[in-house]
Amino acid sequence: MTLTREQCFEQLLLGKAVKSEGWLEQIRLEALEHAEAMNFPSARHDDWRFTDLSPLFLHGFHPVDSFARLTLSDIEKFLIPGAIRLVFIDGCYAAELSDLTQAGSGITVASLVECFGGGCSRDGRSGDHLVEENFGRHAPYKQDAFVALNTNFFEDGAWVSVASELAEPIHLLHVATRREVPSAIYPRCMVVMESSSRATVVEDYVGLDDGIYFSNAVTEVVLKEHAQLQHVRVQREEKNAFHVGHCSVESGRDSVYSAISVALGARLSRHTLHVTQQGEGAEMHLDGLALIAGRQIADTHTRIDHAVPRGKSVQLHKCIADGSAHAIFSGKIMVHAGAVGTDSVQSSRNLLLSDKARIDTQPQLEIFNDDVSCKHGATVGQIDADALFFLKSRGFSEERARNLLTHAFAAEIIDKIPVPSLVESLGRAILERISGACT
Amino acid sequence: MINKGSKVLLEVKNLKAEVAGVAGVAGAEILKGVDLTVRAGEVHAIMGINGSGKSTFSKVLAGHPDYTVTGGKATFEGKDLFSLAPEQRARAGIFLAFQYPVEIPGVSNSALLRLAYNTLQTERGLEELDPLEFDDLVQEKIKVVEMDPSFLGRSVNEGFSGGEKKRNEILQMAVLEPKLAILDETDSGLDIDALRIVAKGVKSLLSSDNAVVMVTHYQRLLNYIVPDYVHVMDGGRIVRTGGKELALELEARGYDWLRAAA
Ligand SMILES: Nc1ncnc2c1ncn2[C@@H]1O[C@H](COP(=O)(O)OP(=O)(O)O)[C@@H](O)[C@H]1O
Ligand SMILES: [Mg+2]
């Protein structure tokens, strides 16, 4: 079955209505109204010109009506020891698989549905108030069709607010299961970092049993002044899955936001990360890796808005494409008129592992004042021939030498993840992927 | 040490090679008939002006894909060298210390050494070492080149000074224990202390079972490691072979007198 772009979109609009109360219901209805007036973006849309969405239209995606029951052993390989954990299965909260024992004072980690009912205030403050103030206020559901769909149809999601310094990582694990018909799922996360707080949050998108599904995720992040967040995002969906994610971040005065985004899975994936510097002196570090093979398509779009003075942004994005995979990176940095003293460095480094693979990279700087220091650059290359011969001269086979060099190229990003067990499991996943692709 | 009865490791006869992919182009031939025999226990030095073909010869022996062998033959312990892929030559016991060592960001020195060591162990039918066991071994080996252990955790050659890179090549040699080590200008760019360390390191690795071929410009390395044979390469050929006194003569008289004779 092949649908038209319109049919596929309409099928999504027929999703299951989720009822809420008050302000939230209003946001949902507004989002639906916008969604109904929209469609999937076409290649004529500037932000989508390299990304062919047509593989998505092979399927009609259905709402998830009954939720699968999983046990911890089903998701064991994804777990991070010692982490505070929220687990969602096909978009629905799984309390029995979650672990909040490490969440101490000054930290709220809960399901959004609990919070909307006012039930997530662990530390005496009004959680509900904080939720209403922030939720849905950052991701652009009026402009972006995917965000609009998610904002209307999301079932549940993760709420994280941190008012202290937290050593343990917070793991937000979104599991997609295999269902009888292709399903549409809508993961949702909101992270509020209060003044001077510190935490590590891992958003993790995984799939089970080779299912066909469309995961359409939205995350909103707010950093108040002096807050520091290490925001890890791992997309390791099943190989026939579709994943579209949007993350909006607002960074307050003197805050430090570090994003490390890794895309390994899905038949087709798109990740949009939009960081707006709201407060003076905010620092933003954006690291990204897409490693794909076969017929995979992975698209990463980032945008950093320096809106106020003395912002700093450092970005390194890497794509590795093997087989006939297609990786896309578009990174825009906007330095607005008032953003004097901005310091920005962006680089895009890419590795092509086969003749049939393709990488499109588009770093863009737009600067509207003179008092800035901005640099950017992009390279696309192959495995370094001298390094390859060196390794062979030390006894490595061609395949092992290539794998080692590819892994090393990826490691520069992976090694920045401040969660050792995740660095290790991603390292293994990458090795499996590249050696699998060679044979 | 010369012992005519000891085993022939490398035998090269009338070796000709050109830059790959330029077949038929006039002047493409770089090696124009090289002969060299290396027995176990011997130390050879190859000297010659820049561009005479020393690095090309070294790389052709290691199997570098930039060059095509167009004539002659080479055997290593009796096996046809040119039928072996570069990694098979390494596993057979040939080691090339590069004139310009490559940097490999993202691969730690210790991981490189361990993976390479274990590949050879497997080839020799011996047990692989796990990271802990290997660490014991490598801690001993770094003493050979007086290297700080912190270099093990760093990416291969990344941010190393010229001298540190050369020492790192010798560390690899110390770990891999080749039968035949070809050192391409390992002494170039070293200050006197580093030269002493590298020379001492190489010397400590020599035995009656292995051999070393040192490509060098300078007599000074040969003060530390006394060669059994000194060969002069010019225009892609070995034009003169002598004992250690030949190096002294070259130091005193330069190369021109040989070139005229050749
Ligand atoms: N890959 C190559 N492509 C083209 N010319 C080469 C290549 N390698 C070596 N040559 C040429 O071959 C000659 C010998 O070079 P080389 O072996 O590096 O000399 P040496 O090490 O003695 O200084 C030089 O003229 C050099 O320019
Ligand atoms: Mg040379």
Side-chain angles (χ1 to χ4, degrees):
Chain A
M1 174 180 56
T2 304
L3 307 179
T4 63
R5 202 153 57 94
E6 288 76 15
Q7 285 169 331
C8 184
F9 197 78
E10 263 160 37
Q11 173 86 48
L12 290 172
L13 285 172
L14 293 175
K16 184 175 62 170
V18 184
K19 285 296 284 178
S20 305
E21 306 284 319
W23 62 270
L24 182 59
E25 181 66 5
Q26 211 172 327
I27 289 179
R28 282 196 196 271
L29 290 176
E30 240 184 276
L32 181 62
E33 224 171 89
H34 283 282
E36 280 170 343
M38 292 191 257
N39 192 349
F40 287 119
S42 75
R44 282 195 303 276
H45 194 298
D46 212 33
D47 272 349
W48 291 85
R49 66 195 179 99
F50 292 114
T51 308
D52 176 15
L53 280 173
S54 62
L56 189 66
F57 311 146
L58 293 171
H59 311 278
F61 297 97
H62 299 264
V64 178
D65 41 17
S66 64
F67 291 93
R69 290 226 152 256
L70 298 181
T71 61
L72 266 185
S73 62
D74 294 319
I75 56 169
E76 198 170 6
K77 66 176 170 182
F78 302 116
L79 302 184
I80 296 172
I84 299 167
R85 180 173 69 241
L86 287 181
V87 179
F88 299 86
I89 298 171
D90 298 323
C92 185
Y93 179 50
E96 69 284 3
L97 303 179
S98 301
D99 184 349
L100 302 174
T101 48
Q102 298 289 330
S105 72
I107 292 144
T108 305
V109 180
S111 93
L112 278 168
V113 167
E114 277 177 338
C115 290
F116 296 143
C120 71
S121 174
R122 274 162 209 278
D123 52 354
R125 289 170 318 112
S126 169
D128 199 21
H129 178 65
L130 203 56
V131 176
E132 182 176 348
E133 226 170 59
N134 287 286
F135 185 86
R137 313 292 177 194
H138 307 280
Y141 64 81
K142 294 177 183 167
Q143 289 85 34
D144 183 308
F146 295 103
V147 177
L149 286 171
N150 176 292
T151 304
N152 181 67
F153 289 114
F154 79 92
E155 190 94 25
D156 202 343
W159 170 266
V160 174
S161 67
V162 181
S164 58
E165 292 191 12
L166 183 63
E168 298 78 18
I170 300 169
H171 188 196
L172 309 177
L173 181 61
H174 299 273
V175 185
T177 63
R178 186 198 171 103
R179 314 192 72 86
E180 250 142 58
V181 290
S183 55
I185 54 186
Y186 297 100
R188 184 98 193 186
C189 303
M190 170 98 232
V191 179
V192 178
M193 298 297 295
E194 303 269 31
S195 306
S196 302
S197 63
R198 265 183 199 225
T200 298
V201 171
V202 180
E203 262 184 78
D204 197 356
Y205 298 90
V206 307
L208 294 177
D209 314 320
D210 203 7
I212 297 176
Y213 54 88
F214 173 39
S215 173
N216 177 5
V218 173
T219 297
E220 296 172 292
V221 177
V222 177
L223 285 87
K224 305 276 174 68
E225 64 271 12
H226 294 286
Q228 298 194 6
L229 176 65
Q230 305 248 32
H231 184 191
V232 182
R233 183 184 206 276
V234 182
Q235 185 273 97
R236 36 181 167 168
E237 305 273 23
E238 280 300 317
K239 67 175 188 292
N240 289 316
F242 300 87
H243 179 100
V244 176
H246 181 102
C247 178
S248 288
V249 181
E250 300 207 343
S251 62
R253 187 163 55 81
D254 295 319
S255 63
V256 182
Y257 173 71
S258 308
I260 303 159
S261 312
V262 180
L264 301 176
R267 165 79 177 80
L268 186 162
S269 73
R270 158 85 167 212
H271 175 48
T272 305
L273 173 59
H274 184 186
V275 187
T276 307
Q277 181 205 351
Q278 292 256 289
E280 286 194 29
E283 239 182 71
M284 290 144 283
H285 300 263
L286 272 61
D287 289 292
L289 169 71
L291 187 156
I292 50 173
R295 294 183 310 151
Q296 285 182 286
I297 301 168
D299 175 355
T300 308
H301 265 63
T302 65
R303 175 171 167 155
I304 302 172
D305 274 272
H306 285 282
V308 294
R310 292 189 302 107
K312 181 179 172 185
S313 58
V314 183
Q315 179 170 30
L316 171 61
H317 190 83
K318 290 188 164 185
C319 297
I320 304 174
D322 200 352
S324 49
H326 182 191
I328 299 120
F329 170 67
S330 166
K332 187 184 273 190
I333 297 179
M334 292 278 282
V335 183
H336 296 263
V340 292
T342 296
D343 185 351
S344 175
V345 185
Q346 180 189 50
S347 85
S348 157
R349 293 181 53 206
N350 303 285
L351 182 60
L352 273 172
L353 294 177
S354 93
D355 306 339
K356 283 186 261 123
R358 174 174 159 191
I359 297 175
D360 289 293
T361 175
Q362 236 192 340
Q364 302 169 68
L365 265 175
E366 290 185 32
I367 306 173
F368 296 98
N369 82 67
D370 295 333
D371 178 18
V372 298
S373 153
C374 293
K375 285 197 278 280
H376 70 166
T379 56
V380 181
Q382 284 153 356
I383 292 270
D384 180 55
D386 289 333
L388 194 61
F389 178 66
F390 165 72
L391 289 174
K392 288 186 189 174
S393 79
R394 298 297 179 256
F396 290 78
S397 67
E398 166 96 18
E399 187 187 340
R400 273 191 98 201
R402 282 181 171 276
N403 289 353
L404 189 65
L405 293 171
T406 307
H407 184 266
F409 188 80
E412 193 184 350
I413 302 293
I414 301 288
D415 287 349
K416 293 186 183 184
I417 295 175
V419 182
S421 70
L422 191 57
V423 173
E424 203 181 300
S425 68
L426 289 177
R428 266 200 313 274
I430 285 170
L431 275 181
E432 275 165 29
R433 208 156 283 243
I434 47 196
S435 40
C438 285
T439 49
Chain B
M1 194 207 305
I2 301 179
N3 174 359
K4 290 279 184 207
S6 77
K7 182 160 99 182
V8 173
L9 289 177
L10 178 73
E11 183 153 51
V12 180
K13 286 215 169 108
N14 198 25
L15 173 61
K16 296 181 179 168
E18 63 186 25
V19 175
V22 298
V25 177
E29 193 170 74
I30 301 174
L31 301 182
K32 297 176 180 163
V34 181
D35 295 286
L36 181 69
T37 300
V38 179
R39 292 188 154 81
E42 293 176 350
V43 175
H44 291 244
I46 299 180
M47 305 183 77
I49 61 165
N50 272 331
S52 57
K54 305 181 299 294
S55 289
T56 302
F57 180 55
S58 310
K59 286 193 263 184
V60 165
L61 293 180
H64 199 290
D66 278 0
Y67 306 98
T68 307
V69 173
T70 51
K73 58 176 224 169
T75 54
F76 184 70
E77 295 193 299
K79 285 187 295 266
D80 176 15
L81 191 61
F82 299 135
S83 70
L84 301 178
E87 63 271 25
Q88 292 169 321
R89 300 184 199 187
R91 293 173 199 170
I94 292 181
F95 178 90
L96 171 62
F98 287 77
Q99 181 173 3
Y100 304 107
V102 294
E103 300 187 6
I104 310 192
V107 176
S108 76
N109 231 353
S110 58
L112 170 84
L113 290 167
R114 179 168 50 82
L115 294 171
Y117 179 84
N118 280 338
T119 305
L120 295 198
Q121 287 291 99
T122 307
E123 181 75 16
R124 294 166 185 166
L126 299 171
E127 283 282 299
E128 294 196 3
L129 297 186
D130 68 29
L132 279 177
E133 294 167 326
F134 184 74
D135 193 55
D136 292 341
L137 177 120
V138 81
Q139 292 296 342
E140 282 305 308
K141 299 291 186 180
I142 56 173
K143 292 181 189 156
V144 171
V145 287
E146 299 182 26
M147 200 186 251
D148 190 280
S150 68
F151 281 90
L152 293 171
R154 289 171 54 180
S155 287
V156 177
N157 291 333
E158 196 184 29
F160 286 28
S161 71
E164 287 160 355
K165 286 180 182 171
K166 297 296 180 77
R167 268 148 79 170
N168 210 25
E169 296 286 293
I170 302 307
L171 173 61
Q172 291 157 26
M173 174 182 166
V175 168
L176 299 178
E177 298 184 333
K179 290 181 193 148
L180 174 68
I182 303 158
L183 312 182
D184 190 3
E185 295 205 27
T186 300
D187 56 333
S188 293
L190 296 184
D191 61 34
I192 197 74
D193 287 332
L195 179 73
R196 184 185 48 75
I197 292 166
V198 162
K200 200 168 63 98
V202 170
K203 210 168 167 179
S204 75
L205 298 171
L206 294 177
S207 76
S208 58
D209 296 327
N210 62 23
V212 61
V213 175
M214 298 180 299
V215 173
T216 180
H217 271 303
Y218 310 105
Q219 154 66 24
R220 56 179 198 168
L221 175 66
L222 308 180
N223 288 336
Y224 293 94
I225 309 172
V226 179
D228 301 306
Y229 296 97
V230 173
H231 311 276
V232 179
M233 188 169 261
D234 190 48
R237 283 193 191 91
I238 286 176
V239 294
R240 171 76 66 114
T241 292
K244 62 176 190 286
E245 32 344 296
L246 179 56
L248 291 168
E249 197 172 356
L250 289 168
E251 178 104 324
R253 295 178 63 189
Y255 289 94
D256 282 351
W257 60 283
L258 271 174
R259 309 198 70 196

